[in-house]
Amino acid sequence: MKRLAAGDEAHYERRRRQRLAQVLEALRQEALAQPKVLVEAPTAMLNQEFASLPDGVSVSPGAISITFSSPSEALQRLLALAMAIGNDFNEFERMAGR
């Protein structure tokens, strides 16, 4: 029995389990590193401009206002604003500056 435990089969089984543990840990780390999607965004939002921000989103000197009727709508409007800022930071500075 001791010989079997010390033999090739046991060695390969330990190695297989170690590799499996490494793969599972890598998958866990990858899942933790990926941000969770909070809101679905249409691809058109990639080109969001300030001129076409949704109703309920406004930027003025020293203030940003977002009005919404549901948490999902709030996330959509915040994302639209973030995309517009990312696409034209100079316009954001102009609108929000004092």
Side-chain angles (χ1 to χ4, degrees), residues 17-70:
R17 288 181 185 207
Q18 287 173 343
R19 285 192 309 269
L20 176 61
Q22 289 171 343
V23 168
L24 291 174
E25 178 60 20
L27 290 171
R28 186 182 79 78
Q29 290 295 327
E30 185 178 317
L32 290 173
Q34 290 180 342
K36 307 266 186 288
V37 174
L38 298 175
V39 63
E40 288 290 324
T43 53
M45 193 174 286
L46 293 174
N47 300 317
Q48 181 69 57
E49 297 178 351
F50 282 98
S52 60
L53 282 172
D55 290 338
V57 179
S58 64
V59 178
S60 59
I64 294 173
S65 175
I66 309 279
T67 58
F68 54 89
S69 59
S70 69

